Amino acid sequence: LGLTCLSGFFHMKNKSYRIPKSHEELLIPPTPCHAKTNVMFLKTHKTASSTVLNIMFRFAERYNLTVALPADQLFHLGYPRTFVAHFVEGFGTIGQNYNIMCNHLRFNPLEVKRVMAANTFYFSILRNPIPLLESSYIYYKNNVPAFRSSKNVNEFLASPTKYYHPANYRENIYARNIMWFDFGYNNNADDDTKYIQAVLEEIEQNFHLILIADYFDESMILLKHALCWDLDDVIYFKLNSRSQDTVQTLSPESEEQIKAWCSLDWKLYLHFNQSFWRRIEETIGLEVLEKEVGHLRTRQKELMETCLSEQEAVRKDHIRNRALLPFQSGAANILGYNLKQDLDNRTLRTCQKMVMPELQYTSYLYAVQHPHKKRKEVGLPLLWTSRQE
């Protein structure tokens, strides 16, 4: 597995791609770059996408941008139904004037284009399907019939067709090719070479960038360059992760079975893992990447020391402020954070935003953007209810 996924990376790392610049090139000043503020992020499942959503929300607040939020009491944009524009709150009056879109949806390019500006930057994120399926199994254990009726992930993978019935595909979408489904395609389609190639080409046409969750820091640096954002715009604390004791160890047979059972996701991942490293090679280079990843981790450590009382994520029963408790699902124990007690107001606000779980942040932004609408109910205490607070 390691050789398969990383071969492109190590192959590039052992080569020199640096081309000596001519004297004339060195004299040409770099083209100034302006931060992109119209951005659509396709939030895929179990791919560190909640952390990316937090980055997007904070950026939207920093630049006072309009976010395409789910209508009424929903926290997703119609998922798992294929997206249509009226799933966005206020679309009828706001029209094609949203800057940021990043809540869960099933991608539908024509309808998304009705909401987002013509110059919108589209990106998404993928994850190795092997750890993704194990994570999905634990997180959706109680909701997915195919998972619920099996004892553990290895038992499910030993004979997936025993538990998974395509007729129940809406209830079972998390059990097979979930990324393929999120991009708007049939997750039970036959593994046909021509079909897969056509889908990969279509995704490349629809998206400017596909990130890889398994290389999250590298992905944030690539995103920073692509969007012309500052380092602090992509600084993050890991959100929606779970405690290690809920991770089930996959047998070697199960790992191989995932490649076959989720072959559409596997081929999607392999293709874009390769293009991810190619993009780095062509734009910033491995040397600059390594240096900037170092800067990101140093800055992240500084903020953790500033904000967090434990310097790390804690289990749900150790989270002191229930307003910062993340949504819990299945057999997973979703971790959260405790903030230091003696922070000044400005620092406290910055730190709160960085650790704010997805549902609470969505509810807060909804209240700010649509103050006359009923606030989305999270079922937890609120940190604040308006921008003024």
Side-chain angles (χ1 to χ4, degrees):
L1 171 65
L3 287 173
T4 307
C5 297
L6 301 180
S7 59
F9 173 52
F10 289 121
H11 178 65
M12 284 186 277
K13 211 169 181 185
N14 291 330
K15 281 192 173 186
S16 172
Y17 288 95
R18 302 199 56 166
I19 301 165
K21 289 189 170 77
S22 69
H23 180 65
E24 289 77 12
E25 281 181 298
L26 291 170
L27 293 175
I28 298 169
T31 310
C33 113
H34 303 285
K36 290 180 171 63
T37 53
N38 292 328
V39 185
M40 190 276 167
F41 169 58
L42 176 61
K43 187 179 190 294
T44 47
H45 285 80
K46 312 312 298 168
T47 57
S49 61
S50 293
T51 303
V52 180
L53 176 131
N54 180 274
I55 287 168
M56 301 297 291
F57 278 174
R58 284 187 284 121
F59 184 83
E61 286 206 87
R62 177 179 173 181
Y63 289 97
N64 198 25
L65 303 174
T66 305
V67 182
L69 293 168
D72 303 320
Q73 289 297 304
L74 291 178
F75 286 89
H76 50 73
L77 292 160
Y79 194 90
R81 288 178 291 167
T82 301
F83 176 77
V84 289
H86 70 77
F87 290 159
V88 174
E89 186 65 71
F91 172 71
T93 51
I94 297 171
Q96 198 182 22
N97 290 307
Y98 294 90
N99 307 112
I100 302 290
M101 178 184 269
C102 55
N103 289 81
H104 274 305
L105 60 81
R106 189 173 186 214
F107 192 62
N108 180 358
L110 293 177
E111 287 292 307
V112 170
K113 282 172 184 170
R114 290 181 65 200
V115 177
M116 302 302 292
N119 67 344
T120 294
F121 183 94
Y122 289 77
F123 79 101
S124 189
I125 189 165
L126 299 174
R127 182 184 181 189
N128 185 322
I130 294 172
L132 186 152
L133 187 83
E134 185 277 332
S135 175
S136 192
Y137 184 92
I138 300 300
Y139 196 82
Y140 297 110
K141 174 73 171 160
N142 301 334
N143 306 98
V144 174
F147 291 160
R148 202 164 49 226
S149 52
S150 54
K151 191 170 62 179
N152 56 49
V153 68
N154 288 305
E155 182 179 272
F156 167 72
L157 287 165
S159 181
T161 52
K162 178 180 168 186
Y163 305 102
Y164 181 96
H165 305 293
N168 300 334
Y169 85 96
R170 283 213 178 272
E171 291 80 27
N172 279 327
I173 51 174
Y174 303 107
R176 189 180 198 193
N177 295 312
I178 181 60
M179 295 187 292
W180 199 264
F181 183 87
D182 287 349
F183 274 87
Y185 302 102
N186 176 8
N187 60 322
N188 289 305
D190 291 336
D191 186 341
D192 174 79
T193 304
K194 267 185 158 177
Y195 165 68
I196 289 172
Q197 191 54 40
V199 167
L200 295 176
E201 287 172 11
E202 194 168 74
I203 292 171
E204 284 178 337
Q205 287 167 8
N206 288 329
F207 289 85
H208 298 93
L209 180 64
I210 303 291
L211 303 177
I212 301 294
D214 311 78
Y215 306 101
F216 194 79
D217 288 350
E218 292 83 354
S219 289
M220 290 305 98
I221 298 303
L222 190 54
L223 183 67
K224 176 180 87 76
H225 279 266
L227 296 176
C228 198
W229 286 7
D230 296 332
L231 183 65
D232 268 15
D233 292 328
V234 296
I235 290 292
Y236 68 92
F237 294 158
K238 197 174 179 183
L239 298 179
N240 212 37
S241 61
R242 62 191 162 121
S243 59
Q244 276 301 113
D245 61 355
T246 65
V247 177
Q248 292 185 8
T249 303
L250 291 162
S251 68
E253 293 78 16
S254 290
E255 293 192 354
E256 288 305 309
Q257 177 69 291
I258 290 170
K259 294 180 195 177
W261 174 244
C262 297
S263 63
L264 304 176
D265 269 5
W266 182 247
K267 285 168 183 176
L268 179 71
Y269 173 76
L270 289 181
H271 177 85
F272 284 104
N273 181 52
Q274 199 171 39
S275 68
F276 173 80
W277 290 107
R278 189 165 60 244
R279 177 75 166 261
I280 285 171
E281 168 209 327
E282 291 168 354
T283 55
I284 54 182
L286 289 170
E287 199 176 312
V288 172
L289 174 74
E290 196 175 346
K291 190 190 293 183
E292 293 201 27
V293 164
H295 292 157
L296 182 142
R297 288 173 180 166
T298 300
R299 179 70 180 126
Q300 184 187 53
K301 191 168 181 286
E302 285 171 6
L303 279 168
M304 291 184 98
E305 288 169 358
T306 299
C307 295
L308 307 178
S309 56
E310 285 93 353
Q311 311 291 296
E312 63 181 5
V314 298
R315 294 172 64 91
K316 62 184 179 185
D317 46 338
H318 293 158
I319 298 168
R320 291 191 295 267
N321 186 343
R322 284 189 58 78
L324 295 177
L325 182 72
F327 177 73
Q328 303 294 319
S329 178
N333 185 322
I334 305 300
L335 306 176
Y337 295 94
N338 288 319
L339 299 178
K340 286 185 174 175
Q341 303 290 317
D342 55 349
L343 300 173
D344 64 79
N345 284 342
R346 188 175 174 181
T347 307
L348 175 64
R349 188 65 169 220
T350 300
C351 296
Q352 285 173 331
K353 296 278 175 70
M354 291 199 67
V355 302
M356 180 76 69
E358 180 178 332
L359 301 190
Q360 288 92 316
Y361 212 151
T362 301
S363 175
Y364 159 68
L365 280 185
Y366 185 85
V368 170
Q369 284 190 190
H370 307 285
H372 304 300
K373 293 270 185 179
K374 184 188 176 188
R375 184 166 183 154
K376 292 181 189 292
E377 293 173 7
V378 185
L380 291 165
L382 302 175
L383 270 179
W384 51 71
T385 55
S386 71
R387 194 183 295 277
Q388 284 68 39
E389 288 176 56

